[in-house]
PDB file of all heavy atoms in Angstrom:
ATOM      1  N   LYS A 266      -7.841 -10.436   4.573  1.00 99.00           N
ATOM      2  CA  LYS A 266      -7.405 -11.708   5.182  1.00 99.00           C
ATOM      3  C   LYS A 266      -6.521 -11.382   6.373  1.00 99.00           C
ATOM      4  O   LYS A 266      -5.560 -10.622   6.256  1.00 99.00           O
ATOM      5  CB  LYS A 266      -6.640 -12.563   4.164  1.00 99.00           C
ATOM      6  CG  LYS A 266      -5.972 -13.803   4.791  1.00 99.00           C
ATOM      7  CD  LYS A 266      -5.351 -14.730   3.742  1.00 99.00           C
ATOM      8  CE  LYS A 266      -4.502 -15.824   4.386  1.00 99.00           C
ATOM      9  NZ  LYS A 266      -3.865 -16.730   3.403  1.00 99.00           N
ATOM     10  N   ASP A 271       0.681 -18.081   9.415  1.00 98.00           N
ATOM     11  CA  ASP A 271       0.242 -19.236   8.641  1.00 98.00           C
ATOM     12  C   ASP A 271       1.342 -20.294   8.620  1.00 98.00           C
ATOM     13  O   ASP A 271       2.253 -20.240   7.798  1.00 98.00           O
ATOM     14  CB  ASP A 271      -0.121 -18.804   7.209  1.00 98.00           C
ATOM     15  CG  ASP A 271      -0.601 -19.977   6.364  1.00 98.00           C
ATOM     16  OD1 ASP A 271      -0.874 -21.053   6.939  1.00 98.00           O
ATOM     17  OD2 ASP A 271      -0.712 -19.810   5.130  1.00 98.00           O
ATOM     18  N   GLY A 273       0.647 -23.294   7.998  1.00 98.00           N
ATOM     19  CA  GLY A 273       0.123 -24.333   7.112  1.00 98.00           C
ATOM     20  C   GLY A 273      -0.856 -25.246   7.846  1.00 98.00           C
ATOM     21  O   GLY A 273      -1.620 -25.967   7.240  1.00 98.00           O
ATOM     22  N   LYS A 278       3.951 -26.217   6.536  1.00 98.00           N
ATOM     23  CA  LYS A 278       4.835 -25.697   5.489  1.00 98.00           C
ATOM     24  C   LYS A 278       6.288 -26.066   5.797  1.00 98.00           C
ATOM     25  O   LYS A 278       6.669 -26.145   6.959  1.00 98.00           O
ATOM     26  CB  LYS A 278       4.751 -24.157   5.457  1.00 98.00           C
ATOM     27  CG  LYS A 278       3.458 -23.590   4.902  1.00 98.00           C
ATOM     28  CD  LYS A 278       3.511 -22.060   4.939  1.00 98.00           C
ATOM     29  CE  LYS A 278       2.211 -21.423   4.485  1.00 98.00           C
ATOM     30  NZ  LYS A 278       1.955 -21.527   3.047  1.00 98.00           N
ATOM     31  N   ASP A 289       0.871 -12.879   6.620  1.00 98.00           N
ATOM     32  CA  ASP A 289      -0.385 -13.394   6.076  1.00 98.00           C
ATOM     33  C   ASP A 289      -1.610 -12.601   6.549  1.00 98.00           C
ATOM     34  O   ASP A 289      -2.747 -12.951   6.252  1.00 98.00           O
ATOM     35  CB  ASP A 289      -0.524 -14.882   6.405  1.00 98.00           C
ATOM     36  CG  ASP A 289      -1.173 -15.666   5.278  1.00 98.00           C
ATOM     37  OD1 ASP A 289      -1.270 -15.132   4.165  1.00 98.00           O
ATOM     38  OD2 ASP A 289      -1.599 -16.811   5.527  1.00 98.00           O
ATOM     39  N   ASN A 321      -3.130 -19.849  12.019  1.00 98.00           N
ATOM     40  CA  ASN A 321      -3.290 -21.191  11.460  1.00 98.00           C
ATOM     41  C   ASN A 321      -2.164 -22.068  11.985  1.00 98.00           C
ATOM     42  O   ASN A 321      -1.032 -21.965  11.532  1.00 98.00           O
ATOM     43  CB  ASN A 321      -3.248 -21.120   9.928  1.00 98.00           C
ATOM     44  CG  ASN A 321      -3.489 -22.470   9.271  1.00 98.00           C
ATOM     45  OD1 ASN A 321      -4.144 -23.340   9.853  1.00 98.00           O
ATOM     46  ND2 ASN A 321      -2.975 -22.646   8.064  1.00 98.00           N
ATOM     47  N   ASP A 348      -3.543 -25.855   4.556  1.00 98.00           N
ATOM     48  CA  ASP A 348      -2.766 -24.668   4.207  1.00 98.00           C
ATOM     49  C   ASP A 348      -3.530 -23.761   3.244  1.00 98.00           C
ATOM     50  O   ASP A 348      -3.090 -22.652   2.941  1.00 98.00           O
ATOM     51  CB  ASP A 348      -1.416 -25.085   3.600  1.00 98.00           C
ATOM     52  CG  ASP A 348      -0.399 -23.960   3.636  1.00 98.00           C
ATOM     53  OD1 ASP A 348      -0.669 -22.929   4.295  1.00 98.00           O
ATOM     54  OD2 ASP A 348       0.661 -24.098   3.006  1.00 98.00           O
ATOM     55  N   ALA A 349      -4.683 -24.209   2.769  1.00 98.00           N
ATOM     56  CA  ALA A 349      -5.542 -23.315   1.983  1.00 98.00           C
ATOM     57  C   ALA A 349      -6.569 -22.736   2.956  1.00 98.00           C
ATOM     58  O   ALA A 349      -7.784 -22.876   2.786  1.00 98.00           O
ATOM     59  CB  ALA A 349      -6.204 -24.055   0.830  1.00 98.00           C
ATOM     60  N   GLU A 350      -6.048 -22.082   4.012  1.00 98.00           N
ATOM     61  CA  GLU A 350      -6.879 -21.655   5.140  1.00 98.00           C
ATOM     62  C   GLU A 350      -7.512 -20.285   4.914  1.00 98.00           C
ATOM     63  O   GLU A 350      -8.611 -20.023   5.396  1.00 98.00           O
ATOM     64  CB  GLU A 350      -6.034 -21.613   6.429  1.00 98.00           C
ATOM     65  CG  GLU A 350      -5.193 -20.346   6.675  1.00 98.00           C
ATOM     66  CD  GLU A 350      -4.139 -20.092   5.608  1.00 98.00           C
ATOM     67  OE1 GLU A 350      -3.762 -21.039   4.901  1.00 98.00           O
ATOM     68  OE2 GLU A 350      -3.690 -18.933   5.471  1.00 98.00           O
TER      69      GLU A 350
HETATM   70 MN1   MN B 502      -1.799 -21.222   3.953  1.00 76.98          MN
END
Side-chain angles (χ1 to χ4, degrees):
K266 171 173 171 181
D271 181 12
K278 288 180 184 288
D289 217 14
N321 183 26
D348 199 10
E350 83 298 339

